[in-house]
DNA sequence: CCAAAAGTGTTCATGGTACACCCATGG
DNA sequence: CCATGGGTGTACCATGAACACTTTTGG
């Protein structure tokens, strides 16, 4: 056995048995406030399957990877086609490829994404196009049984989100351009599912150097709260050596 | 455009344009001590390409994903076929799929692995089989130009390794069953590329609860050092909800 | 004026870092 | 006995948690 050369390259001639069905799916979170409730929750859009494997069950938005299509572009495209949404943050989550996760073998490159509060309404129930059939928002914490291994996938995406919110600034991916510290804190509290001390939270985030105070204030029921912007000179998330590729795809926005 | 159903499932009939060449590659690190040098370095095995795309260049060990083969099994298999090595730790790194990374489009599921010092000699230059042509060890810090985007991939694997060594116990994946604290510290110093205070390192790692002191001592030039074993009840790495799958595949060992 | 959220100050525990010091062995 | 690495003790500093307190608005 000395075929030491079948490496990652493509050698025309090996062909058939190396061909695999490759799909791209996206777990896309946004934040939903509930009047009355003391905590906002994470929600994600799902698509109801209308075909054979797991027909009728809800599944992550996604589709097949086109031949000459970048993978993150495929994630954006299939997400737009199925839900009309365009995320503010998109990152590869994991490649799921267990042979028994679908009747015939499918490798799914799964992305996870964040949708800013002001973007969440677009598409899905936009005033222009009528709300889509077979698409609906679900609370991330209380999902029904999903198609394929999609419950596991969402679980993993939630775990990744909770982890990453600790050491990077992705929380901003869920907020509009300007926000109060209370709103930012609400994001953290939702993701981590626990209360944070307002005083300590303020200092920590102020000292991180990622916030720029504006002149504006959010006026409401009580003392007005200063509005902040996100300092774009600091990277949103630490992607390591992959940052170039990822951020270039992130800059593309509708 | 209402094909909202082409999700991750496999719908026999869509077929051809969803088929993609899928390869599996592995970045596998081990530690090399150099007599004279004050620091050990990370090394990885590469395979020289003997075929068309990038013929003559060195590349990561890997191969095509078989139809009914789990992805991590494919990583183990192709690694064994090309280098004869069997890692003590294996984890998915990233899926690389840029359309221009190879003459024809290839999606590479890349794994990264750690080889214990006592395993590194096996296979590659084992006394049983003669040392393999077209396989060689390289210092991870000073690689030549590799085939495809493999330089980027190694860079990313190094970044992940450096990160992960901070919050998990993967460093043990580079050591034999029993080791001294100095040896463990050497691993950390090599990965992080900086000196660590022996006294503080001892306390930190002792308080982490991951080490079990044995009765043995490593006798050498100076005061004998106690040997420790790794506490297998603590997970080697925090993989989140994927831990089950990953650890079950990790338990398979030659 | 009062409730409630914005924002400030202070204290305490914890964990990392720096470094002085003693212990045990081979040569 | 001495150089060298194994191993212990301790002081210091940064960070985060807990919480008392002041400020500013709407009603």
């Amino acid at each position: 056995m000395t075929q030491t050369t079948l490496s990652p390259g493509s050698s025309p001639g090996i062909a058939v048995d190396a061909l695999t069905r490759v799909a791209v799916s996206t777990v896309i979170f946004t934040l939903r406030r509930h009047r009355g409730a003391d905590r906002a929750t994470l929600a994600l859009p799902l698509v109801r399957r209308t075909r054979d494997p797991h027909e009728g069950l809800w599944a992550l938005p996604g589709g097949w990877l086109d031949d000459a299509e970048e993978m993150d572009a495929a994630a954006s495209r299939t997400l737009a086609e199925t839900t009309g949404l365009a995320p503010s943050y998109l990152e590869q989550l994991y490649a799921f490829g267990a042979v028994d996760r679908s009747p015939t073998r499918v490798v799914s490159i799964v992305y996870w994404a964040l949708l800013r509060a002001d973007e969440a309404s677009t598409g899905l129930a936009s005033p222009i196009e009528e709300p889509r059939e077979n698409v609906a928002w679900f609370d991330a914490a209380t999902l029904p049984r999903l198609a394929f291994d999609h419950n596991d996938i969402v679980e993993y995406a939630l775990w990744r989100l909770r982890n990453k919110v600790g050491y990077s600034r992705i929380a901003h991916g869920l907020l509009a351009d300007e926000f109060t510290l209370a709103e930012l804190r609400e994001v953290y509290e939702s993701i981590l599912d626990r209360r944070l001390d307002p005083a300590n939270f303020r200092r920590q985030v102020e000292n991180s150097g990622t916030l720029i105070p504006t002149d504006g204030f959010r006026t409401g029921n009580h003392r007005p709260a200063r509005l902040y912007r996100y300092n774009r000179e600091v990277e949103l998330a630490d992607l390591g050596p992959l940052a170039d590729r990822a951020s270039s795809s992130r800059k593309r926005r509708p």
Side-chain angles (χ1 to χ4, degrees), chain A:
Chain A
M1 190 166 291
T2 12
Q3 38 177 293
T4 58
T5 54
L6 305 186
S7 292
S10 69
S11 318
I14 316 291
V16 190
D17 43 16
L19 290 175
T20 308
R21 262 174 225 279
V22 176
V24 174
S25 299
T26 305
V27 186
I28 177 167
F29 295 113
T30 194
L31 211 63
R32 298 230 285 192
R33 285 184 185 76
H34 310 90
R35 55 186 177 290
D38 61 335
R39 191 79 58 86
T41 57
L42 290 169
L44 74 167
L46 295 175
V47 179
R48 195 203 302 270
R49 289 191 57 80
T50 61
R51 292 213 186 205
D52 185 8
H54 300 286
E55 174 170 354
L57 289 186
W58 294 90
L60 293 172
W64 300 110
L65 174 66
D66 277 0
D67 227 22
E69 187 182 34
E70 298 298 343
M71 297 196 304
D72 53 356
S76 296
R77 173 182 61 79
T78 58
L79 189 62
E81 284 175 4
T82 52
T83 65
L85 298 170
S88 60
Y89 178 81
L90 184 70
E91 180 189 334
Q92 193 184 116
L93 176 68
Y94 200 79
F96 293 85
V99 293
D100 62 351
R101 61 187 291 276
S102 176
T104 65
R105 208 269 178 75
V106 173
V107 170
S108 282
I109 315 293
V110 179
Y111 282 77
W112 68 288
L114 299 180
L115 207 61
R116 297 165 15 163
D118 53 328
E119 299 171 325
S121 47
T122 321
L124 228 163
S126 120
I128 307 168
E129 43 184 340
E130 60 202 36
R132 306 184 180 230
E133 289 290 333
N134 295 323
V135 181
W137 289 91
F138 288 79
D139 193 300
T142 58
L143 289 179
R145 186 169 87 82
L146 303 184
F148 309 107
D149 51 358
H150 290 191
N151 286 96
D152 296 338
I153 294 178
V154 173
E155 213 49 51
Y156 183 55
L158 277 170
W159 175 82
R160 180 99 139 229
L161 175 60
R162 274 191 268 269
N163 263 341
K164 203 141 195 169
V165 85
Y167 62 86
S168 84
R169 299 300 147 204
I170 42 168
H172 300 272
L174 290 167
L175 289 174
D177 275 348
E178 302 203 333
F179 49 85
T180 68
L181 289 182
E183 289 163 354
L184 182 59
R185 180 164 48 84
E186 185 185 33
V187 173
Y188 277 83
E189 291 182 342
S190 307
I191 294 175
L192 299 174
D193 196 34
R194 62 188 173 93
R195 286 255 164 264
L196 299 175
D197 185 302
N200 295 329
F201 181 80
R202 162 181 302 274
R203 269 183 298 260
Q204 288 169 18
V205 80
E206 272 176 348
N207 294 340
S208 75
T210 55
L211 289 193
I212 302 173
T214 70
D215 293 336
F217 286 86
R218 172 94 68 228
T219 169
N221 279 337
H222 302 289
R223 173 172 172 176
R226 179 172 297 277
L227 290 171
Y228 290 82
R229 279 190 303 106
Y230 175 66
N231 181 359
R232 301 209 160 271
E233 307 200 354
V234 188
E235 259 309 313
L236 190 61
D238 189 5
L239 293 174
L242 264 46
D244 285 341
R245 245 163 305 182
S247 65
S248 69
S249 76
R250 182 154 42 79
K251 275 174 192 123
R252 155 172 42 71
R253 272 241 219 103

